[in-house]
Amino acid sequence: MKISDELASAIASVTEVAAIAAFDWVGKKDKNAADKAAVEAMRNRLNEIDFHGKIVIGEGEIDNAPMLYIGEKVGKQSSNFGLDIAVDPIDGTRMVACNEQNAIAVLAAAPTGTLLQAPDMYMEKIVVGPKARGAVHLANPLEKNIELLSAALNKPISSLSIAVLDKPRHQHIIKTIRNFGANVITIPDGDVLASLLTILPEHAIDMMYGTGGAPEGIISAAIARALGGDMQARLVSRSQAKGESEENIRIAKEETLRCQQMGIEIGDILSLDTMVSTNDVIFSATAITSTVLMAGISNDAYSRISNTVLVSGHNRSLKIINNRHFK
């Protein structure tokens, strides 16, 4: 049983309501309030849709409610159609708080049992488009992957553009890429959008690489699976990503325990098929602030206007939905 067009449209409405709720907090310097508003709107809309689902990766465990926590049941449990949900109510909470571009509300959904369940922790990711599918591997040194990418795309290394989150943990990566002759596109936050742009052939990004959130990683894997791109990933502990402070070591021990409980190992390389084991996957992203793909939420006296990217894997389609929501 495939995800219907009707259900896909309903999934798109989930990110729409989250983006509209978050929009009230744009520029107000309160990313937690923005995130809370998006979460509540997203949860309420999910529970109106005719499916029974579970959050397989989201914003933490049950003790972190009101976040959409891992294991939370959503939808109508009496429904006959089940979905796994990977969610990030706001990819780019800091951008919302500071009124910066590229903040989006995102969600991926696929039939029950087809999305990897993992803790909310760090994840190392490498994403490429369809022409480089199978060409790169996380086990390789970065320089080797750049060479392989160059060969797969038939582009000189000097013409390659690699997107990297502009974080302290990535400064050595940025330096390595530049020293090797490729171009770096630094992004302040929001690697889901960077993954999408990597997979779409008309955009300048040839590869996305670095360590970010695991929920965003599984959502990026859904995009890659749906549109014929490729991705590998591995979970990274807090102490590996941010240094061995006492607090980070404590959190890393908790992460290791949660991974063991879920049957997944930190450091194991995860293939695209391991993260998303079906082509019947839906990805939805609604712009809160403006992005290169679509305008953010806008207001007039009577309505709010949203713009949403909806990707359907079973027919390899992408459409942008411009929707007017009357007050």
Side-chain angles (χ1 to χ4, degrees):
M1 186 176 179
K2 296 288 186 183
I3 298 176
S4 67
D5 290 342
E6 180 182 7
L7 182 54
S9 295
I11 293 297
S13 75
V14 175
T15 59
E16 285 178 343
V17 297
I20 290 169
F23 180 74
D24 288 335
W25 294 94
V26 168
K28 294 185 178 178
K29 307 291 185 181
D30 192 340
K31 66 179 185 179
N32 292 330
D35 200 38
K36 182 179 179 181
V39 166
E40 290 176 351
M42 190 171 271
R43 175 183 282 121
N44 291 338
R45 180 67 185 114
L46 281 168
N47 288 332
E48 294 171 351
I49 300 173
D50 187 20
F51 77 100
H52 66 88
K54 183 175 74 171
I55 307 297
V56 297
I57 190 161
E59 296 189 307
E61 313 299 332
I62 189 167
D63 57 340
N64 287 334
M67 300 297 103
L68 280 157
Y69 59 84
I70 297 166
E72 179 175 355
K73 293 181 179 180
V74 292
K76 299 182 182 298
Q77 297 307 304
S78 59
S79 174
N80 292 323
F81 194 80
L83 289 176
D84 287 344
I85 303 289
V87 62
D88 190 0
I90 302 177
D91 188 25
T93 52
R94 189 193 59 78
M95 281 109 80
V96 171
C98 298
N99 193 14
E100 296 178 359
Q101 294 184 342
N102 297 323
I104 55 178
V106 295
L107 181 151
T112 299
T114 59
L115 296 185
L116 179 72
Q117 183 167 353
D120 179 13
M121 57 189 293
Y122 282 102
M123 177 183 273
E124 182 185 6
K125 314 159 196 177
I126 189 167
V127 181
V128 294
K131 286 187 176 181
R133 184 175 175 85
V136 301
H137 199 286
L138 268 182
N140 295 330
L142 179 55
E143 296 92 335
K144 179 65 174 178
N145 279 328
I146 294 172
E147 289 178 339
L148 293 169
L149 181 67
S150 172
L153 299 181
N154 194 25
K155 292 173 67 172
I157 289 174
S158 60
S159 295
L160 295 177
S161 293
I162 300 171
V164 182
L165 284 171
D166 192 6
K167 304 292 184 183
R169 62 182 177 270
H170 289 151
Q171 294 313 302
H172 69 289
I173 293 170
I174 292 169
K175 184 177 180 180
T176 296
I177 294 169
R178 287 177 172 154
N179 287 345
F180 204 65
N183 304 300
V184 178
I185 298 175
T186 55
I187 48 178
D189 295 289
D191 58 10
V192 172
L193 181 60
S195 296
L196 177 59
L197 295 177
T198 299
I199 292 164
L200 295 177
E202 66 268 28
H203 294 282
I205 301 174
D206 298 302
M207 183 169 79
M208 198 282 290
Y209 176 68
T211 300
E216 294 86 351
I218 300 303
I219 294 168
S220 294
I223 302 168
R225 183 69 191 246
L227 296 178
D230 203 4
M231 177 178 173
Q232 291 181 346
R234 53 187 161 198
L235 296 173
V236 176
S237 72
R238 174 68 68 94
S239 58
Q240 290 172 316
K242 302 198 74 172
E244 293 192 346
S245 69
E246 184 176 336
E247 177 70 3
N248 289 342
I249 290 172
R250 181 189 65 79
I251 293 172
K253 290 179 180 177
E254 294 174 356
E255 291 170 339
T256 300
L257 178 60
R258 291 203 300 274
C259 285
Q260 290 171 350
Q261 292 169 343
M262 293 181 182
I264 187 171
E265 291 291 331
I266 292 175
D268 282 358
I269 294 177
L270 306 169
S271 69
L272 180 60
D273 289 350
T274 298
M275 292 184 282
V276 183
S277 61
T278 179
N279 289 331
D280 189 25
V281 60
I282 296 294
F283 164 75
S284 179
T286 303
I288 304 166
T289 58
S290 291
T291 76
V292 67
L293 279 180
M294 50 191 168
I297 302 295
S298 61
N299 262 326
D300 61 28
Y302 306 103
S303 62
R304 284 184 168 175
I305 298 170
S306 65
N307 292 278
T308 299
V309 169
L310 179 62
V311 172
S312 296
H314 72 88
N315 59 7
R316 290 279 173 89
S317 68
L318 181 153
K319 60 183 175 182
I320 295 181
I321 304 167
N322 176 268
N323 214 346
R324 186 180 291 269
H325 309 260
F326 288 90
K327 297 176 182 179

